Amino acid sequence: MTDSLSSIDTEQVKDYVTVSLADQQFGIPILAVHDILNEQRMTQVALATGEVSGVMNIRGRIVTAIDARRLMGLPDRPAGQKSMNVVVHFRGEPYALVVDAVGEVRGMAMSAYERNPSNMDAAWAGLSQGVYRLDTGLVVILDVERIIGGLLMEKAA
């Protein structure tokens, strides 16, 4: 996010799809979300990075699935626990973020927005736009461009 906090309209409300990973709430800007799907059958990809869960066929398109838990350095999902997929687009290509659960679309007032706390894990800070401190807890806002762009840069290096 390039705006300085002083230039942000604190009355503005932004909408996010809330998701959970290991009991932590995250938000994905709703404008970045193209689809939400239940758990899908995946095909493993040889030599893929650890964050890539595999690929799936969604309406005839092959979509790379990225395990958000692994991306965020969280322990793997317990065996048997269902997951969901949040499909986002990056440079015209669809990618699925595999999450534990999808919550609601929630409007959050910019007055509750803060830049990443200085004590936030460096891996999380590198993948988030900031946080919202709500009565229900902290919601970390994921930056889709950093997530997908970072993985593609890793692969290119």
Side-chain angles (χ1 to χ4, degrees):
M1 179 165 275
T2 57
D3 295 339
S4 70
L5 284 177
S6 61
S7 68
I8 295 174
D9 179 3
T10 58
E11 298 300 319
Q12 182 182 10
V13 174
K14 290 191 172 184
D15 292 327
Y16 298 92
V17 174
T18 59
V19 301
S20 64
L21 295 166
D23 296 326
Q24 172 62 51
Q25 292 294 308
F26 293 87
I28 301 172
I30 194 163
L31 294 177
V33 176
H34 287 261
D35 224 338
I36 295 173
L37 304 168
N38 288 327
E39 193 167 62
Q40 301 288 307
R41 190 176 74 172
M42 284 189 221
T43 301
Q44 300 294 316
V45 178
L47 304 177
T49 61
E51 295 88 359
V52 175
S53 295
V55 292
M56 62 179 92
N57 184 335
I58 301 176
R59 298 179 202 109
R61 291 195 75 174
I62 302 302
V63 176
T64 302
I66 300 163
D67 189 319
R69 272 184 175 246
R70 290 183 187 158
L71 193 68
M72 303 302 286
L74 296 168
D76 282 347
R77 196 168 290 102
Q81 181 179 342
K82 296 279 186 189
S83 62
M84 294 190 74
N85 299 283
V86 178
V87 180
V88 297
H89 278 215
F90 179 74
R91 296 183 183 160
E93 293 295 324
Y95 294 87
L97 295 175
V98 182
V99 299
D100 294 353
V102 175
E104 60 188 346
V105 173
R106 188 168 185 177
M108 295 186 226
M110 291 304 292
S111 59
Y113 175 81
E114 297 177 14
R115 291 186 187 275
N116 291 327
S118 60
N119 61 350
M120 179 182 264
D121 181 274
W124 287 31
L127 301 174
S128 76
Q129 297 176 345
V131 299
Y132 282 90
R133 290 189 191 275
L134 305 177
D135 293 340
T136 56
L138 192 72
V139 178
V140 178
I141 304 303
L142 296 176
D143 187 323
V144 171
E145 291 202 15
R146 285 185 190 170
I147 291 171
I148 309 295
L151 285 175
L152 294 177
M153 292 293 287
E154 258 179 42
K155 189 176 178 181

